[in-house]
Amino acid sequence: MKRIEINTDPKLAWAEALDTGVRSQLGPILEELENGGGVQYSSKGGVGAGHGAEYWPILSRIQRMEREQPHLSAIGHVLCHPDTEARNSYLDAAADTVEAKVIALIPSWTDGKVWRQAKKDKVSHLIRVALMERSENLSNELPDWSPEKIGAKMAEWYGAPITTRDWARDWLPTWCVIQAVINNLEADAIEPISDVIGDMIHKAKRAA
C-alpha cells in the first residue's frame, strides 16, 4: 500500500486540499467519501493532482463544513485558501462572523459617547485587516504587524486611517478582542481538519 503523504499542519493541509487539480478530480467521489465508502483513487490528473488523492478526505470535510457551518468555512477559507481572489470572496462573511462576537464582548458598544458610528465603522475595517494579516502568515512564522502597518493598511484598503500614536490607549484593547475572537473561530474551523488528518494517519499506520 502506498504511504499517505499529507501536510500534517491542518492550515497548510486546508490550503493544499484546495489545489485546483484536487478539485478537478472529485466529482461524485466526495459523496462516497462522506458516506464511508471505499474508493480506488488515481493520482493522475491536472495541476496539483500528484498529491490530490491523499487530500480528498480533507477537501471532503471542508465541503461538508461549507454546507453545514458556512460561517466557519468562511473563516477557514479567508485564513487558508491558496487563491487570493477566492479568499477575498469569503472576507465579508468571515468579518461579519468575527464582528458579531467582538461586539458581544465589548460592554460599552451601545454607549454612543464611547463608540460613535465613525469609530464603530473603523472596527469593521480593523477586523478585515486582522483577518488578512492572519491569512498572510499561514505558517505563523512572521512577526505581528506593527500599529503603523495596521494603520497604513486601513488607509490603503479602506480609506479609513486611524491614529496610531496612542495605539495602546485607543485601539489595542479592541485589537486584542478581535485577535481573541479570530483565535477561537480559527480553532473551531481547523479542529475538524485536524481530526481528519489524525484519522488518516491512524489508518495508514494500521494498514502498514
Side-chain angles (χ1 to χ4, degrees), residues 1-6 54 200-201 204-205 207-208:
M1 177 180 175
K2 180 180 177 181
R3 183 169 64 92
I4 293 178
E5 296 182 357
I6 59 172
E54 289 83 0
M200 293 171 68
I201 294 172
K205 289 180 177 178

Side-chain angles (χ1 to χ4, degrees), residues 64 118 138 142 180:
R64 176 181 165 190
L138 197 60
L142 299 176

Side-chain angles (χ1 to χ4, degrees), residues 7-193:
N7 195 315
T8 55
D9 182 310
K11 291 197 293 184
L12 297 176
W14 184 305
E16 294 198 28
L18 291 170
D19 179 285
T20 54
V22 179
R23 281 188 176 273
S24 70
Q25 298 179 71
L26 285 172
I29 290 176
L30 281 174
E31 183 176 353
E32 291 199 44
L33 280 170
E34 290 167 358
N35 293 332
V39 181
Q40 296 296 319
Y41 307 130
S42 168
S43 62
K44 298 178 181 179
V47 176
H51 63 246
E54 289 83 0
Y55 283 89
W56 284 345
I58 295 171
L59 179 56
S60 174
R61 187 63 184 87
I62 292 171
Q63 293 191 329
R64 176 181 165 190
M65 193 186 303
E66 289 174 340
R67 295 192 303 272
E68 298 178 0
Q69 297 173 293
H71 65 292
L72 282 184
S73 68
I75 295 291
H77 285 317
V78 167
L79 299 183
C80 305
H81 204 297
D83 181 80
T84 300
E85 183 175 353
R87 182 171 66 234
N88 289 344
S89 71
Y90 291 98
L91 183 57
D92 285 345
D96 288 346
T97 297
V98 174
E99 185 170 352
K101 293 183 177 295
V102 167
I103 289 172
L105 292 172
I106 299 178
S108 61
W109 185 261
T110 57
D111 186 339
K113 294 181 180 179
V114 177
W115 288 96
R116 298 185 183 278
Q117 189 59 49
K119 189 175 182 180
K120 290 182 176 181
D121 291 343
K122 289 183 178 180
V123 171
S124 296
H125 299 323
L126 268 178
I127 288 169
R128 285 164 170 78
V129 170
L131 285 166
M132 297 312 293
E133 177 199 23
R134 192 75 63 95
S135 74
E136 293 185 12
N137 190 17
L138 197 60
S139 63
N140 294 322
E141 295 177 352
L142 299 176
D144 293 339
W145 287 1
S146 67
E148 292 75 20
K149 185 170 183 177
I150 293 167
K153 293 296 184 182
M154 288 275 288
E156 176 186 352
W157 293 346
Y158 302 109
I162 59 174
T163 300
T164 58
R165 182 179 60 254
D166 294 315
W167 171 262
R169 182 196 67 193
D170 296 338
W171 292 108
L172 182 58
T174 303
W175 183 256
C176 289
V177 172
I178 292 170
Q179 293 293 335
V181 168
I182 294 175
N183 286 342
N184 290 335
L185 288 169
E186 177 184 320
D188 290 343
I190 295 303
E191 182 179 9
I193 308 306

